[in-house]
Amino acid sequence: MDQACKPFGLAAVTGTNPDTGVVGLSTAGGGGYMSRLYGMAVDNFVSAEVVLATGEAVLATKDNEHRDLLWGLQGAGSNFGIVTKLTMKLHPVDKVYGGMVINVAPSEARCKKVLTNWRDWILDAPRSVMSMAVLPCGAPVVPMAVCELDQVTVPQEAKAKCTANKLPSLKPFHASFTSRMLSGGLLGKSFGAALSIRPMKRMQYHADLQPQLESVQAGGYYYDASCIVPEMSEEVISTLVEFTRKKHVNNQAAIIIFPLGGAIADAPIDSTSFWGSGRQVKGFWIIIEGKFSKDKSGVKREKVVTWVKALRHALAKFNVSDTAHTLDGNMESVLAGAEAIFGPNYERIRKVKGKYDPTNFFKCNRNIDPA
């Protein structure tokens, strides 16, 4: 899809990896680099062709007799049928500025400081700026993906030059940097890190930004879970740091922290079936990425599963909610029920489920009990 959109200078809101499927990710919510600017993937649905359990194919739009079905697909999609066509809004994007920033934070205190300063910055940053923070287990670093999407601020001409110094929105990444180069990246101290390596540049959205995480999210054995915290409080930050520095399970697992403010928080909570913990301005999506190497005995997997569940349980006290993404850990009923996923939208979704799938034929998902 990225390659099809690239020649037109357009892109849809969905995912941060080009090897991720579009529809499954999107109908469960779907977040990407453009989400703070244009909302979640579900906020950009126009229509969907759906094959129901009866074998009938219907077209759902916002103004036809299947409008409730489209609403249900916008967050609880796999409950109603097989989506064979999905039409989404496209947004103009070509050249952007960004990349990965590696913040060195040897101590737990330094790690908490970096996360706290980053949280405060991204909450106040212009909506055209997106950033995700990562906590790798057992590693003294806090990597971040960063990009400025503004098509006016970032020069679009073919041979135009651009640096972080010319982008006020990225001030934390250039205020203290020197011109010394190391492996292609400027050295500095962003967000209070002991040292930061910043290989950022002007890049093409589809060809450069979208694939940048592939090298660090290679295929393998995973047991993942996720949840949404209403805010990244000091207690939440301490919990995440504790589980990646003191209670880390191996050197492969990680935690990804994704902001849910900006345009995501603009949408009324009943505008789609995706509730998103009430679409809080200060909300963050925590993705617990448990990864392990091949193990015939199953011991390594068991340790990772235990770690993921323990962290998810520790976060539960922070009034977390969930999403409909069918991650292995999310599919475990012990982690969350449907009410924690869909909140006040739950009863309406049950009615839609009762209308389009009354026998609950589609149940390999974050399942809705038909009304």
Side-chain angles (χ1 to χ4, degrees), residues 94-105:
D94 186 7
K95 301 297 191 299
V96 300
Y97 187 90
M100 295 293 295
V101 174
I102 309 301
N103 299 297
V104 180

Side-chain angles (χ1 to χ4, degrees), residues 97 155 161-167 170 174 198 201-202:
Y97 187 90
K161 302 293 184 180
C162 184
T163 64
N165 294 344
K166 296 181 180 180
L167 302 172
L170 300 184
H174 61 71
R198 189 206 72 191
K201 62 181 180 180
R202 192 180 78 131

Side-chain angles (χ1 to χ4, degrees), residues 15-324:
T16 55
N17 288 59
D19 58 353
T20 302
V22 175
V23 178
L25 178 145
S26 297
T27 56
Y33 288 112
M34 298 196 296
S35 287
R36 295 189 74 246
L37 192 55
Y38 298 116
M40 299 292 280
V42 292
D43 299 323
N44 290 272
F45 284 13
V46 175
S47 66
E49 180 184 85
V50 188
V51 177
L52 306 177
T54 60
E56 178 188 7
V58 301
L59 178 66
T61 71
K62 293 184 178 182
D63 54 6
N64 72 2
E65 69 272 25
H66 300 297
R67 63 178 68 89
D68 284 345
L69 175 58
L70 182 63
W71 178 87
L73 291 170
Q74 293 173 282
S78 58
N79 271 280
F80 309 106
I82 306 299
V83 179
T84 50
K85 289 182 182 179
L86 178 62
T87 302
M88 302 174 70
K89 296 177 184 175
L90 295 178
H91 305 281
V93 61
D94 186 7
K95 301 297 191 299
V96 300
Y97 187 90
M100 295 293 295
V101 174
I102 309 301
N103 299 297
V104 180
S107 67
E108 289 184 48
R110 178 83 70 169
C111 184
K112 293 176 184 178
K113 180 179 181 180
V114 170
L115 278 180
T116 299
N117 290 339
W118 170 79
R119 173 203 66 192
D120 294 343
W121 167 73
I122 194 61
L123 288 175
D124 291 332
R127 294 182 175 203
S128 57
V129 173
M130 183 58 178
S131 179
M132 294 171 284
V134 181
L135 292 178
C137 275
V141 294
V142 184
M144 296 174 182
V146 185
C147 66
E148 168 60 85
L149 297 164
D150 190 278
Q151 298 295 280
V152 175
T153 305
V154 179
Q156 299 297 304
E157 297 76 17
K159 296 183 179 181
K161 302 293 184 180
C162 184
T163 64
N165 294 344
K166 296 181 180 180
L167 302 172
S169 60
L170 300 184
K171 185 176 180 180
F173 298 101
H174 61 71
S176 61
F177 279 90
T178 69
S179 58
R180 183 183 172 190
M181 301 295 291
L182 178 65
S183 299
L186 292 175
L187 296 181
K189 297 180 179 181
S190 54
F191 301 112
L195 178 69
S196 297
I197 304 173
R198 189 206 72 191
M200 297 169 69
K201 62 181 180 180
R202 192 180 78 131
M203 57 176 68
Q204 207 283 325
Y205 177 85
H206 306 87
D208 302 320
L209 181 64
Q210 280 285 83
Q212 77 166 349
L213 299 179
E214 282 189 305
S215 61
V216 293
Q217 290 186 329
Y221 297 86
Y222 288 86
Y223 183 91
D224 297 349
S226 67
C227 63
I228 296 174
V229 293
E231 62 177 325
M232 276 281 289
S233 65
E234 302 306 315
E235 293 81 6
V236 170
I237 289 175
S238 293
T239 300
L240 299 178
V241 173
E242 179 185 18
F243 271 81
T244 51
R245 293 297 177 97
K246 284 184 178 178
K247 298 181 178 180
H248 62 277
V249 63
N250 55 32
N251 62 357
Q252 295 175 282
I255 296 172
I256 303 170
I257 308 170
F258 187 102
L260 293 176
I264 300 171
D266 287 346
I269 59 175
D270 61 353
S271 60
T272 67
S273 58
F274 175 83
W275 175 47
S277 191
R279 294 183 179 257
Q280 303 289 333
V281 173
K282 296 182 178 181
F284 283 81
W285 189 10
I286 309 297
I287 303 169
I288 308 169
E289 194 173 78
K291 187 178 182 181
F292 52 97
S293 55
K294 189 174 182 179
D295 176 23
K296 290 184 179 180
S297 68
V299 173
K300 293 180 180 179
R301 182 185 189 278
E302 183 180 355
K303 289 182 178 179
V304 165
V305 170
T306 300
W307 176 79
V308 170
K309 289 185 175 182
L311 174 51
R312 179 61 179 78
H313 179 74
L315 291 172
K317 64 182 178 182
F318 301 114
N319 194 29
V320 301
S321 65
D322 210 337
T323 69

